Amino acid sequence: MTALRGVGGKTLERLERLGLHTLHDLVFHLPLRYEDRTVIKGINQLRHGDFALIEGYIETVEEQGIRQHSLVCYLNDGNASIGLRFFHYSAAQRERMRTGVLLRCFGEVREAGYGRAGKEMTHPEYREVASGEQGRIEASLTPVYPSTDGLQQRLLRRLIQDALTYYRDDSVAASALTDWLPRRVVDGLAFPALFDAIQTLHSPPPGSDSADSINQAQQRLAFEELLAHHLSLSRFKISRTRRAPLMRPNAVLEQAFSAVLPFHMTAAQQRVIAEIERDLAGEKPMMRLLQGDVGSGKTVVAARAALIAVASGFQVAIMAPTELLAEQHYQTFLRWLTPLGVNVGFLSGRQKASERETVLFALGSGLVNIVLGTHALFQESVIFQRLGLVIIDEQHRFGVHQRLALKEKGGRDGNCPHQLVMTATPIPRTLAMLGYADLDVSVIDELPPGRKPVQTVAMPSSRRGEVVQRIHDWVGQRRQAYWVCTLIEESELLSCQAAEQTAQALTAALPGVRVALIHGRMRAAQKEQAMQDFKSGLYDLLVATTVIEVGVDVPNAGLMVIENPERLGLSQLHQLRGRVGRGEGESFCVLLYQSPLSVTAKQRLGILRATQDGFVIAEKDLELRGPGEFLGVRQTGLMQFRVADLIRDSGLLDDVKTVAEDLLRDEPECVEPLISRWLGQGARYAEV
Ligand code: ADP
Ligand code: MG
């Protein structure tokens, strides 16, 4: 940086605040938007909301207002006039604004305020123009950069231009901007060269071409950035050279399994099982992501996959994100697989030491075939005799980090276990390709037959009484219901207290209705007991915090009230609502909101009422929130892009994938430089 003219301590400090430490950082600091100062607009052509460059002579100058003075100059370009309004101005400024002075201004056009007719600009950028200079304008669009206090756009523009010149004129320096994309790729996709693209973005040509050139340059850089992300994850796929245990399906056990199941599998479930079978029979470790909307029946697919492993003499570990869900899976697996002679175990961080010892021993000696649990499963003390398959449910609850680390929990024979990762949060294709570039993907795109859509209504909390009455009637029909209390200002304690109070209030308001309570501060055993009792029909109404968000499956519970749904994101609401609509009859979701709703909250609830398609909801969620929060990214820093925009650039992803494969195969020397250019320090996250 210090190679640039006029960069001293203060400026350096401010640049560093923006994360700009080197010239390389500086040229990759791209504009937020552009201003067109290449054309002087006629004042009579200006419309409300335009950002425009104008030039004219000062006609009159007035100071207006009584308590708050403002200075208004009227500027005329020969055809029309416009007011320039300044609320803050110095005496010197006022002194120079005199009738007859030629000014050039850039600003936003508005309707004149204060009861006056005509147009105005408030605090435009302006300068006096010498008469010889009249009409001479900028040659390119003017970039507007992300900046920080005290760092003027004008200075930032000049520094970036100087940095570009430096790279252009100095061949040694230029090597830092090497174009790592092979020529054939750049030509094949009709992209501009790297330097040209960067240059265009900092000073786009004026006129009708500008949008096109900006677009091309942006696509080129977005492509490179997405490619870098993709490559950094794909390295894991390449490292999949360890052998996996060979597994073969067993027809006898499978028939017995079908006989135990109370339903037939859907075509989608069968297709996905076939894909998994194929992977398990191969020599490479399976790395498969199973996507299926809430209620699509992923658990039974997991059970079938586990059965193949067990039939082939291997052990299976199944990990769920919460104790509640792990326990529920444990019960399901016991029911389905014990009749087939499979030994199913349960491991939890909160078990009594003696119970835990017993399970650990059974795992080490191979007595237990399948173990269900939380992340406690992957502690060092857990040793398997022959682990062949790892299944992770509701993957989105774990970070990319954790998932990659789990691969190392292998068998003692040096084999690498197969891995099946399941998620109900439908991951938009765009994100799936990046966050899960190392996984193959299977999708269950069909719900079990007979499901009716959940009827969703939104009501203000002033109608709470009606909702309570509705629960009364519902329970009268021998059906069950959930009442969900949402998070209060990120405080678990307050949320739990709110749930307790709600449970008390509902118990009082609904005599004869048996109310159970589950929240995050209860002991695991208590929670499990309450859940179990609710499932077996001992209670009619379950009041809960969002702990029941994932996986909980009680088909007879067909009514859900969500209090303050405006506090939750769309995907989370969709997950919650997925708890109902699992049985035969009609089902309902009541969104009991606190008015007034913000604009986005209104949009979110509207989307939820309009659709039940998890993919549509996920895409909308992404649009409304941005990808940041989506994958639990806060833990990984994965999805922060500089240029790329997953929605705008999703069309590039197929090419990104092909080119990534190309490079890894034919030009591996380009891979590291690309990754470090775009991910920099962030690349480390992937190295676990
Ligand atoms: P999720 O994909 O959300 O994990 P689950 O595996 O919990 O869904 O399944 C939801 C419910 O649907 C469960 O009660 C399960 O037993 C039932 N189910 C799964 N597959 C079928 C099927 N093919 N036909 C009928 N019911 C099914
Ligand atoms: Mg599930």
Side-chain angles (χ1 to χ4, degrees):
M1 286 284 196
T2 42
L4 298 182
R5 183 164 49 91
V7 178
K10 272 266 164 52
T11 307
L12 269 183
E13 212 178 284
R14 288 169 184 150
L15 290 169
E16 276 181 15
R17 228 185 291 150
L18 288 173
L20 306 176
H21 308 283
T22 63
L23 291 185
H24 189 263
D25 295 337
L26 207 51
V27 296
F28 276 93
H29 190 63
L30 298 171
L32 287 171
R33 60 184 174 86
Y34 299 95
E35 291 171 351
D36 189 351
R37 305 181 185 195
T38 64
V39 198
I40 294 175
K41 281 262 182 90
I43 292 175
N44 58 357
Q45 296 166 1
L46 296 180
R47 278 175 324 194
H48 177 71
D50 285 350
F51 281 86
L53 186 71
I54 54 175
E55 200 171 86
Y57 290 96
I58 297 180
E59 278 179 321
T60 51
V61 182
E62 297 171 8
E63 281 183 281
Q64 296 177 357
I66 298 159
R67 231 173 296 149
Q68 196 196 7
H69 278 285
S70 55
L71 180 75
V72 185
C73 320
Y74 289 91
L75 199 71
N76 191 307
D77 67 356
N79 290 314
S81 74
I82 185 170
L84 313 176
R85 186 177 292 274
F86 300 87
F87 292 105
H88 315 282
Y89 53 96
S90 61
Q93 244 175 326
R94 189 184 48 203
E95 193 49 36
R96 302 184 67 165
M97 300 260 194
R98 269 184 267 124
T99 306
V101 170
L102 182 61
L103 286 187
R104 181 173 303 170
C105 308
F106 185 86
E108 186 182 1
V109 181
R110 307 191 195 174
E111 299 304 328
Y114 304 92
R116 284 158 200 276
K119 298 188 181 72
E120 278 188 5
M121 284 183 179
T122 306
H123 283 273
E125 275 181 54
Y126 72 94
R127 65 184 179 88
E128 246 174 83
V129 180
S131 55
E133 229 190 321
Q134 193 173 355
R136 207 189 301 151
I137 46 162
E138 311 263 343
S140 59
L141 298 188
T142 307
V144 179
Y145 295 100
S147 190
T148 181
D149 276 353
L151 189 61
Q152 304 290 333
Q153 287 291 330
R154 206 181 290 224
L155 176 61
L156 204 46
R157 276 176 210 140
R158 197 211 7 108
L159 293 178
I160 290 173
Q161 284 305 326
D162 287 356
L164 283 170
T165 312
Y166 187 79
Y167 277 119
R168 194 174 37 231
D169 298 348
D170 184 324
S171 57
V172 179
S175 65
L177 286 184
T178 302
D179 202 338
W180 292 107
L181 289 187
R183 186 88 236 160
R184 65 192 146 76
V185 172
V186 176
D187 290 348
L189 293 165
F191 282 146
L194 179 67
F195 191 83
D196 296 342
I198 292 174
Q199 180 131 313
T200 300
L201 289 178
H202 289 299
S203 36
S208 54
D209 292 346
S210 68
D212 274 353
S213 346
I214 292 171
N215 194 25
Q216 273 174 10
Q218 226 165 30
Q219 292 277 292
R220 148 80 212 224
L221 294 185
F223 182 88
E224 202 179 301
E225 182 172 33
L226 292 170
L227 181 68
H229 278 266
H230 197 287
L231 286 170
S232 98
L233 281 157
S234 302
R235 290 184 294 187
F236 290 98
K237 217 169 190 170
I238 294 297
S239 72
R240 256 206 267 171
T241 48
R242 284 163 67 194
R243 285 170 53 93
L246 278 183
M247 298 182 180
R248 294 270 176 261
N250 176 315
V252 178
L253 273 180
E254 269 148 35
Q255 251 163 23
F257 183 60
S258 304
V260 171
L261 283 185
F263 48 75
H264 289 289
M265 296 221 218
T266 62
Q269 284 169 323
Q270 288 174 16
R271 189 191 65 235
V272 166
I273 288 168
E275 287 166 355
I276 293 170
E277 260 173 27
R278 219 175 303 133
D279 284 356
L280 294 181
E283 291 198 337
K284 279 203 282 175
M286 169 170 80
M287 291 280 277
R288 188 166 285 280
L289 174 71
L290 172 57
Q291 282 188 16
D293 209 347
V294 270
S296 62
K298 293 182 293 296
T299 317
V300 67
V301 172
R304 237 335 260 288
L307 194 59
I308 299 172
V310 173
S312 311
F314 292 96
Q315 289 172 301
V316 183
I318 304 179
M319 180 168 82
T322 63
E323 299 268 333
L324 205 60
L325 191 49
E327 168 72 22
Q328 183 185 281
H329 280 339
Y330 174 57
Q331 299 297 341
T332 307
F333 275 63
L334 279 179
R335 201 166 61 238
W336 286 345
L337 296 176
T338 326
L340 311 187
V342 176
N343 280 325
V344 183
F346 181 66
L347 197 67
S348 134
R350 307 196 189 160
Q351 255 163 339
K352 271 193 251 143
S354 58
E355 279 175 47
R356 190 177 152 80
E357 284 307 313
T358 312
V359 182
L360 288 180
F361 174 76
L363 281 174
S365 56
L367 288 172
V368 161
N369 307 111
I370 300 178
V371 64
L372 292 113
T374 55
H375 52 273
L377 281 180
F378 296 93
Q379 285 160 358
E380 248 169 69
S381 57
V382 184
I383 293 166
F384 293 86
Q385 196 218 16
R386 258 189 123 198
L387 181 63
L389 171 65
V390 171
I391 301 178
I392 303 170
D393 194 16
E394 305 297 352
Q395 142 71 25
H396 66 285
R397 285 307 197 84
F398 303 100
V400 176
H401 248 87
Q402 280 164 298
R403 173 167 64 75
L404 295 172
L406 298 181
K407 281 202 299 189
E408 297 316 312
K409 194 96 193 168
R412 276 178 290 185
D413 48 8
N415 278 345
C416 176
H418 294 285
Q419 203 178 98
L420 178 66
V421 171
M422 310 200 291
T423 181
T425 297
I427 300 166
R429 205 182 71 94
T430 43
L431 286 185
M433 283 194 57
L434 288 167
Y436 300 89
D438 58 332
L439 300 183
D440 301 311
V441 179
S442 292
V443 182
I444 305 183
D445 50 7
E446 176 186 9
L447 292 180
R451 298 272 172 83
K452 297 199 195 78
V454 181
Q455 296 175 45
T456 305
V457 292
M459 287 187 185
S461 55
S462 55
R463 292 173 63 188
R464 193 186 177 94
E466 283 170 55
V467 177
V468 172
Q469 182 58 40
R470 188 149 170 193
I471 289 181
H472 176 266
D473 300 344
W474 181 260
V475 170
Q477 297 164 38
R478 312 192 60 100
R479 297 202 60 190
Q480 292 164 286
Y482 299 99
W483 187 292
V484 182
C485 306
T486 47
L487 206 69
I488 299 169
E489 287 162 5
E490 303 289 319
S491 155
E492 198 197 13
L493 178 63
L494 286 181
S495 311
C496 296
Q497 285 171 351
E500 269 165 18
Q501 281 163 15
T502 306
Q504 279 167 15
L506 289 172
T507 307
L510 292 164
V513 171
R514 298 162 302 170
V515 181
L517 172 67
I518 288 193
H519 62 62
R521 295 228 149 187
M522 284 161 59
R523 288 217 318 278
Q526 281 177 302
K527 271 192 281 190
E528 276 146 29
Q529 193 59 49
M531 200 62 230
Q532 215 46 54
D533 290 347
F534 181 62
K535 197 165 179 164
S536 59
L538 288 178
Y539 293 102
D540 308 302
L541 176 64
L542 180 64
V543 175
T545 53
T546 49
V547 290
I548 61 158
E549 179 192 346
V550 282
V552 170
D553 182 40
V554 183
N556 188 46
L559 169 62
M560 173 176 280
V561 178
I562 305 177
E563 254 192 291
N564 304 112
E566 68 277 4
R567 291 182 187 146
L568 302 179
L570 257 182
S571 292
Q572 203 181 1
L573 286 166
H574 176 65
Q575 290 286 328
L576 273 173
R577 181 173 59 177
R579 302 305 117 225
V580 294
R582 298 183 154 240
E584 299 276 294
E586 281 193 307
S587 55
F588 299 90
C589 178
V590 180
L591 305 168
L592 196 58
Y593 64 86
Q594 195 73 46
S595 25
L597 285 177
S598 71
V599 176
T600 34
K602 218 177 259 176
Q603 268 176 311
R604 270 191 306 219
L605 300 190
I607 291 163
L608 209 64
R609 279 163 50 206
T611 178
Q612 208 155 315
D613 182 326
F615 279 83
V616 174
I617 289 174
E619 299 278 358
K620 294 282 183 199
D621 201 18
L622 193 59
E623 271 171 46
L624 289 178
R625 288 203 289 176
E629 285 172 75
F630 203 84
L631 292 176
V633 176
R634 273 165 299 177
Q635 309 160 34
T636 63
L638 176 61
M639 294 301 163
Q640 278 134 28
F641 296 113
R642 286 195 256 169
V643 188
D645 173 322
L646 284 174
I647 292 164
R648 183 193 67 202
D649 301 326
S650 61
L652 293 173
L653 285 166
D654 285 330
D655 287 327
V656 165
K657 199 173 174 190
T658 329
V659 171
E661 281 161 11
D662 247 38
L663 288 187
L664 286 165
R665 194 184 48 239
D666 302 334
E667 261 129 324
E669 68 281 4
C670 301
V671 171
E672 280 309 318
L674 274 170
I675 293 175
S676 68
R677 169 176 293 160
W678 289 97
L679 280 78
Q681 308 260 308
R684 259 191 274 136
Y685 81 86
E687 271 143 36
V688 186

Short mmCIF file of all heavy atoms in Angstrom, two decimals, residues 26-65:
data_model
loop_
_atom_site.label_atom_id
_atom_site.label_comp_id
_atom_site.label_asym_id
_atom_site.label_seq_id
_atom_site.Cartn_x
_atom_site.Cartn_y
_atom_site.Cartn_z
N LEU A 26 -6.77 -4.26 -2.73
CA LEU A 26 -7.34 -3.02 -3.22
C LEU A 26 -8.01 -3.21 -4.59
O LEU A 26 -9.12 -2.76 -4.81
CB LEU A 26 -6.23 -1.96 -3.31
CG LEU A 26 -6.60 -0.50 -3.20
CD1 LEU A 26 -7.46 -0.20 -1.99
CD2 LEU A 26 -5.33 0.35 -3.15
N VAL A 27 -7.34 -3.92 -5.49
CA VAL A 27 -7.97 -4.08 -6.81
C VAL A 27 -9.14 -5.06 -6.77
O VAL A 27 -9.99 -5.06 -7.65
CB VAL A 27 -6.97 -4.49 -7.93
CG1 VAL A 27 -5.95 -3.41 -8.16
CG2 VAL A 27 -6.33 -5.82 -7.64
N PHE A 28 -9.17 -5.89 -5.72
CA PHE A 28 -10.34 -6.77 -5.59
C PHE A 28 -11.43 -6.15 -4.71
O PHE A 28 -12.41 -6.79 -4.37
CB PHE A 28 -9.93 -8.14 -5.04
CG PHE A 28 -9.44 -9.07 -6.11
CD1 PHE A 28 -8.09 -9.15 -6.42
CD2 PHE A 28 -10.33 -9.84 -6.85
CE1 PHE A 28 -7.64 -9.99 -7.42
CE2 PHE A 28 -9.89 -10.67 -7.86
CZ PHE A 28 -8.53 -10.75 -8.15
N HIS A 29 -11.24 -4.91 -4.34
CA HIS A 29 -12.29 -4.20 -3.61
C HIS A 29 -13.23 -3.61 -4.66
O HIS A 29 -12.92 -2.61 -5.29
CB HIS A 29 -11.65 -3.09 -2.76
CG HIS A 29 -12.59 -2.45 -1.80
ND1 HIS A 29 -13.20 -3.13 -0.78
CD2 HIS A 29 -13.06 -1.18 -1.72
CE1 HIS A 29 -13.98 -2.31 -0.10
NE2 HIS A 29 -13.93 -1.12 -0.65
N LEU A 30 -14.36 -4.25 -4.84
CA LEU A 30 -15.19 -3.91 -6.00
C LEU A 30 -16.34 -2.98 -5.64
O LEU A 30 -16.81 -2.98 -4.50
CB LEU A 30 -15.73 -5.21 -6.63
CG LEU A 30 -14.60 -6.12 -7.14
CD1 LEU A 30 -15.13 -7.48 -7.54
CD2 LEU A 30 -13.86 -5.46 -8.30
N PRO A 31 -16.78 -2.21 -6.61
CA PRO A 31 -17.83 -1.21 -6.34
C PRO A 31 -19.16 -1.85 -5.96
O PRO A 31 -19.48 -2.95 -6.38
CB PRO A 31 -18.00 -0.48 -7.68
CG PRO A 31 -16.81 -0.83 -8.49
CD PRO A 31 -16.31 -2.14 -8.00
N LEU A 32 -19.89 -1.12 -5.14
CA LEU A 32 -21.25 -1.51 -4.80
C LEU A 32 -22.20 -1.19 -5.94
O LEU A 32 -23.16 -1.89 -6.21
CB LEU A 32 -21.74 -0.69 -3.61
CG LEU A 32 -21.19 -0.99 -2.24
CD1 LEU A 32 -21.64 0.08 -1.28
CD2 LEU A 32 -21.69 -2.36 -1.80
N ARG A 33 -21.97 -0.03 -6.54
CA ARG A 33 -22.83 0.44 -7.63
C ARG A 33 -22.06 1.50 -8.40
O ARG A 33 -20.91 1.81 -8.07
CB ARG A 33 -24.13 1.02 -7.07
CG ARG A 33 -23.94 2.18 -6.13
CD ARG A 33 -25.25 2.65 -5.52
NE ARG A 33 -25.01 3.67 -4.51
CZ ARG A 33 -24.89 4.96 -4.76
NH1 ARG A 33 -25.01 5.41 -6.02
NH2 ARG A 33 -24.64 5.83 -3.80
N TYR A 34 -22.72 2.04 -9.41
CA TYR A 34 -22.08 3.07 -10.23
C TYR A 34 -22.96 4.29 -10.33
O TYR A 34 -24.18 4.21 -10.22
CB TYR A 34 -21.83 2.52 -11.64
CG TYR A 34 -20.93 1.33 -11.64
CD1 TYR A 34 -21.48 0.04 -11.65
CD2 TYR A 34 -19.55 1.47 -11.60
CE1 TYR A 34 -20.66 -1.07 -11.62
CE2 TYR A 34 -18.73 0.36 -11.57
CZ TYR A 34 -19.28 -0.91 -11.57
OH TYR A 34 -18.47 -2.00 -11.53
N GLU A 35 -22.31 5.41 -10.57
CA GLU A 35 -23.05 6.61 -10.89
C GLU A 35 -22.67 7.02 -12.29
O GLU A 35 -21.50 6.93 -12.67
CB GLU A 35 -22.70 7.71 -9.89
CG GLU A 35 -23.25 7.39 -8.51
CD GLU A 35 -22.76 8.33 -7.43
OE1 GLU A 35 -21.86 9.15 -7.72
OE2 GLU A 35 -23.26 8.25 -6.32
N ASP A 36 -23.66 7.46 -13.03
CA ASP A 36 -23.37 7.84 -14.40
C ASP A 36 -23.09 9.34 -14.46
O ASP A 36 -24.00 10.15 -14.40
CB ASP A 36 -24.54 7.47 -15.32
CG ASP A 36 -24.16 7.66 -16.78
OD1 ASP A 36 -23.08 8.22 -17.06
OD2 ASP A 36 -24.95 7.22 -17.65
N ARG A 37 -21.83 9.69 -14.56
CA ARG A 37 -21.46 11.09 -14.70
C ARG A 37 -20.86 11.32 -16.07
O ARG A 37 -20.03 12.17 -16.27
CB ARG A 37 -20.44 11.49 -13.63
CG ARG A 37 -20.97 11.18 -12.24
CD ARG A 37 -20.00 11.59 -11.19
NE ARG A 37 -20.51 11.16 -9.89
CZ ARG A 37 -20.05 11.60 -8.74
NH1 ARG A 37 -19.08 12.48 -8.73
NH2 ARG A 37 -20.55 11.16 -7.62
N THR A 38 -21.24 10.44 -16.99
CA THR A 38 -20.69 10.56 -18.34
C THR A 38 -21.61 11.39 -19.23
O THR A 38 -21.25 11.72 -20.34
CB THR A 38 -20.50 9.18 -18.99
OG1 THR A 38 -21.79 8.57 -19.14
CG2 THR A 38 -19.62 8.29 -18.15
N VAL A 39 -22.79 11.67 -18.76
CA VAL A 39 -23.72 12.45 -19.56
C VAL A 39 -24.28 13.57 -18.69
O VAL A 39 -24.65 13.32 -17.54
CB VAL A 39 -24.96 11.61 -19.98
CG1 VAL A 39 -25.67 12.27 -21.13
CG2 VAL A 39 -24.58 10.19 -20.30
N ILE A 40 -24.34 14.76 -19.24
CA ILE A 40 -25.01 15.83 -18.52
C ILE A 40 -26.48 15.82 -18.93
O ILE A 40 -26.81 15.88 -20.11
CB ILE A 40 -24.36 17.19 -18.83
CG1 ILE A 40 -22.94 17.18 -18.24
CG2 ILE A 40 -25.19 18.33 -18.26
CD1 ILE A 40 -22.14 18.41 -18.57
N LYS A 41 -27.33 15.66 -17.93
CA LYS A 41 -28.76 15.56 -18.21
C LYS A 41 -29.39 16.95 -18.28
O LYS A 41 -28.97 17.85 -17.54
CB LYS A 41 -29.45 14.78 -17.07
CG LYS A 41 -29.29 13.28 -17.16
CD LYS A 41 -30.53 12.65 -17.81
CE LYS A 41 -30.45 11.14 -17.89
NZ LYS A 41 -31.01 10.48 -16.71
N GLY A 42 -30.37 17.09 -19.17
CA GLY A 42 -31.15 18.33 -19.20
C GLY A 42 -32.05 18.39 -17.97
O GLY A 42 -32.66 17.37 -17.61
N ILE A 43 -32.10 19.54 -17.33
CA ILE A 43 -32.89 19.64 -16.10
C ILE A 43 -34.37 19.36 -16.38
O ILE A 43 -35.06 18.75 -15.56
CB ILE A 43 -32.68 21.03 -15.44
CG1 ILE A 43 -31.24 21.10 -14.93
CG2 ILE A 43 -33.67 21.28 -14.29
CD1 ILE A 43 -30.82 22.45 -14.37
N ASN A 44 -34.82 19.71 -17.57
CA ASN A 44 -36.23 19.42 -17.90
C ASN A 44 -36.52 17.94 -18.09
O ASN A 44 -37.66 17.52 -18.12
CB ASN A 44 -36.67 20.24 -19.12
CG ASN A 44 -35.79 19.95 -20.33
OD1 ASN A 44 -34.82 19.18 -20.23
ND2 ASN A 44 -36.13 20.55 -21.47
N GLN A 45 -35.44 17.11 -18.23
CA GLN A 45 -35.67 15.67 -18.40
C GLN A 45 -35.63 14.89 -17.09
O GLN A 45 -35.84 13.69 -17.07
CB GLN A 45 -34.58 15.05 -19.29
CG GLN A 45 -34.56 15.57 -20.70
CD GLN A 45 -33.24 15.19 -21.39
OE1 GLN A 45 -32.38 14.53 -20.81
NE2 GLN A 45 -33.13 15.59 -22.63
N LEU A 46 -35.29 15.56 -16.02
CA LEU A 46 -35.08 14.83 -14.76
C LEU A 46 -36.39 14.30 -14.21
O LEU A 46 -37.41 14.98 -14.25
CB LEU A 46 -34.44 15.75 -13.72
CG LEU A 46 -33.05 16.26 -14.06
CD1 LEU A 46 -32.54 17.16 -12.93
CD2 LEU A 46 -32.09 15.10 -14.29
N ARG A 47 -36.28 13.06 -13.69
CA ARG A 47 -37.45 12.51 -13.03
C ARG A 47 -37.12 12.20 -11.58
O ARG A 47 -35.97 11.93 -11.24
CB ARG A 47 -37.91 11.23 -13.73
CG ARG A 47 -38.78 11.52 -14.96
CD ARG A 47 -39.07 10.23 -15.64
NE ARG A 47 -37.87 9.39 -15.52
CZ ARG A 47 -37.66 8.30 -16.22
NH1 ARG A 47 -38.56 7.90 -17.08
NH2 ARG A 47 -36.56 7.59 -16.08
N HIS A 48 -38.15 12.21 -10.79
CA HIS A 48 -38.06 11.88 -9.38
C HIS A 48 -37.29 10.56 -9.19
O HIS A 48 -37.59 9.58 -9.85
CB HIS A 48 -39.50 11.76 -8.86
CG HIS A 48 -39.57 11.35 -7.44
ND1 HIS A 48 -39.22 12.20 -6.42
CD2 HIS A 48 -39.97 10.19 -6.88
CE1 HIS A 48 -39.39 11.56 -5.27
NE2 HIS A 48 -39.85 10.36 -5.52
N GLY A 49 -36.28 10.55 -8.35
CA GLY A 49 -35.55 9.31 -8.09
C GLY A 49 -34.31 9.13 -8.95
O GLY A 49 -33.48 8.26 -8.66
N ASP A 50 -34.14 9.91 -10.02
CA ASP A 50 -32.94 9.81 -10.85
C ASP A 50 -31.72 10.24 -10.06
O ASP A 50 -31.78 11.20 -9.28
CB ASP A 50 -33.02 10.79 -12.04
CG ASP A 50 -33.97 10.30 -13.12
OD1 ASP A 50 -34.40 9.13 -13.03
OD2 ASP A 50 -34.26 11.08 -14.05
N PHE A 51 -30.59 9.58 -10.30
CA PHE A 51 -29.31 10.13 -9.90
C PHE A 51 -28.72 10.73 -11.15
O PHE A 51 -28.57 10.04 -12.15
CB PHE A 51 -28.38 9.04 -9.36
CG PHE A 51 -28.70 8.66 -7.95
CD1 PHE A 51 -29.67 7.68 -7.70
CD2 PHE A 51 -28.05 9.25 -6.89
CE1 PHE A 51 -29.97 7.33 -6.40
CE2 PHE A 51 -28.35 8.90 -5.59
CZ PHE A 51 -29.31 7.94 -5.34
N ALA A 52 -28.42 12.01 -11.15
CA ALA A 52 -28.03 12.61 -12.41
C ALA A 52 -26.98 13.69 -12.25
O ALA A 52 -26.82 14.30 -11.18
CB ALA A 52 -29.26 13.21 -13.09
N LEU A 53 -26.24 13.84 -13.33
CA LEU A 53 -25.25 14.91 -13.42
C LEU A 53 -25.90 16.06 -14.18
O LEU A 53 -26.46 15.86 -15.26
CB LEU A 53 -24.04 14.38 -14.20
CG LEU A 53 -22.82 15.29 -14.29
CD1 LEU A 53 -22.14 15.39 -12.94
CD2 LEU A 53 -21.84 14.76 -15.33
N ILE A 54 -25.83 17.25 -13.60
CA ILE A 54 -26.42 18.41 -14.29
C ILE A 54 -25.42 19.57 -14.25
O ILE A 54 -24.47 19.58 -13.45
CB ILE A 54 -27.74 18.87 -13.62
CG1 ILE A 54 -27.52 19.11 -12.12
CG2 ILE A 54 -28.84 17.84 -13.83
CD1 ILE A 54 -28.74 19.68 -11.42
N GLU A 55 -25.65 20.52 -15.14
CA GLU A 55 -24.76 21.69 -15.18
C GLU A 55 -25.62 22.91 -15.47
O GLU A 55 -26.52 22.84 -16.33
CB GLU A 55 -23.72 21.48 -16.28
CG GLU A 55 -22.50 22.34 -16.14
CD GLU A 55 -21.41 21.93 -17.13
OE1 GLU A 55 -21.45 22.41 -18.27
OE2 GLU A 55 -20.56 21.11 -16.76
N GLY A 56 -25.36 24.00 -14.77
CA GLY A 56 -26.17 25.19 -15.04
C GLY A 56 -25.66 26.39 -14.28
O GLY A 56 -24.73 26.28 -13.46
N TYR A 57 -26.27 27.53 -14.56
CA TYR A 57 -25.88 28.77 -13.87
C TYR A 57 -26.81 29.03 -12.69
O TYR A 57 -28.01 28.75 -12.78
CB TYR A 57 -25.96 29.95 -14.84
CG TYR A 57 -24.87 29.88 -15.90
CD1 TYR A 57 -25.13 29.33 -17.15
CD2 TYR A 57 -23.59 30.38 -15.62
CE1 TYR A 57 -24.13 29.26 -18.12
CE2 TYR A 57 -22.59 30.32 -16.58
CZ TYR A 57 -22.85 29.75 -17.82
OH TYR A 57 -21.87 29.68 -18.76
N ILE A 58 -26.24 29.56 -11.63
CA ILE A 58 -27.07 29.91 -10.49
C ILE A 58 -27.91 31.13 -10.83
O ILE A 58 -27.37 32.15 -11.27
CB ILE A 58 -26.21 30.19 -9.23
CG1 ILE A 58 -25.45 28.91 -8.84
CG2 ILE A 58 -27.08 30.69 -8.08
CD1 ILE A 58 -24.57 29.08 -7.61
N GLU A 59 -29.25 30.97 -10.67
CA GLU A 59 -30.16 32.08 -10.93
C GLU A 59 -30.33 32.94 -9.69
O GLU A 59 -30.10 34.14 -9.71
CB GLU A 59 -31.55 31.54 -11.26
CG GLU A 59 -31.75 31.09 -12.67
CD GLU A 59 -33.17 30.57 -12.82
OE1 GLU A 59 -33.68 29.90 -11.89
OE2 GLU A 59 -33.77 30.84 -13.86
N THR A 60 -30.81 32.26 -8.62
CA THR A 60 -31.05 32.99 -7.38
C THR A 60 -30.60 32.12 -6.21
O THR A 60 -30.50 30.91 -6.34
CB THR A 60 -32.55 33.28 -7.17
OG1 THR A 60 -33.26 32.05 -7.33
CG2 THR A 60 -33.07 34.31 -8.13
N VAL A 61 -30.33 32.74 -5.09
CA VAL A 61 -29.96 32.02 -3.88
C VAL A 61 -30.83 32.53 -2.75
O VAL A 61 -31.01 33.74 -2.62
CB VAL A 61 -28.48 32.28 -3.53
CG1 VAL A 61 -28.08 31.49 -2.29
CG2 VAL A 61 -27.58 31.94 -4.70
N GLU A 62 -31.44 31.60 -1.98
CA GLU A 62 -32.29 32.04 -0.88
C GLU A 62 -31.94 31.28 0.38
O GLU A 62 -31.55 30.12 0.31
CB GLU A 62 -33.78 31.70 -1.17
CG GLU A 62 -34.37 32.38 -2.36
CD GLU A 62 -35.75 31.81 -2.68
OE1 GLU A 62 -36.27 31.00 -1.86
OE2 GLU A 62 -36.28 32.17 -3.74
N GLU A 63 -32.12 31.92 1.52
CA GLU A 63 -32.08 31.17 2.78
C GLU A 63 -33.52 31.01 3.22
O GLU A 63 -34.26 31.99 3.32
CB GLU A 63 -31.23 31.89 3.81
CG GLU A 63 -29.76 31.62 3.54
CD GLU A 63 -28.84 32.24 4.57
OE1 GLU A 63 -28.62 33.45 4.47
OE2 GLU A 63 -28.37 31.50 5.46
N GLN A 64 -33.93 29.76 3.44
CA GLN A 64 -35.33 29.50 3.75
C GLN A 64 -35.47 28.91 5.13
O GLN A 64 -34.53 28.37 5.70
CB GLN A 64 -35.92 28.50 2.73
CG GLN A 64 -35.95 29.06 1.31
CD GLN A 64 -36.47 28.01 0.32
OE1 GLN A 64 -36.73 26.88 0.67
NE2 GLN A 64 -36.61 28.43 -0.93
N GLY A 65 -36.71 28.94 5.64
CA GLY A 65 -37.01 28.33 6.93
C GLY A 65 -36.80 29.32 8.05
O GLY A 65 -36.08 30.31 7.90
#
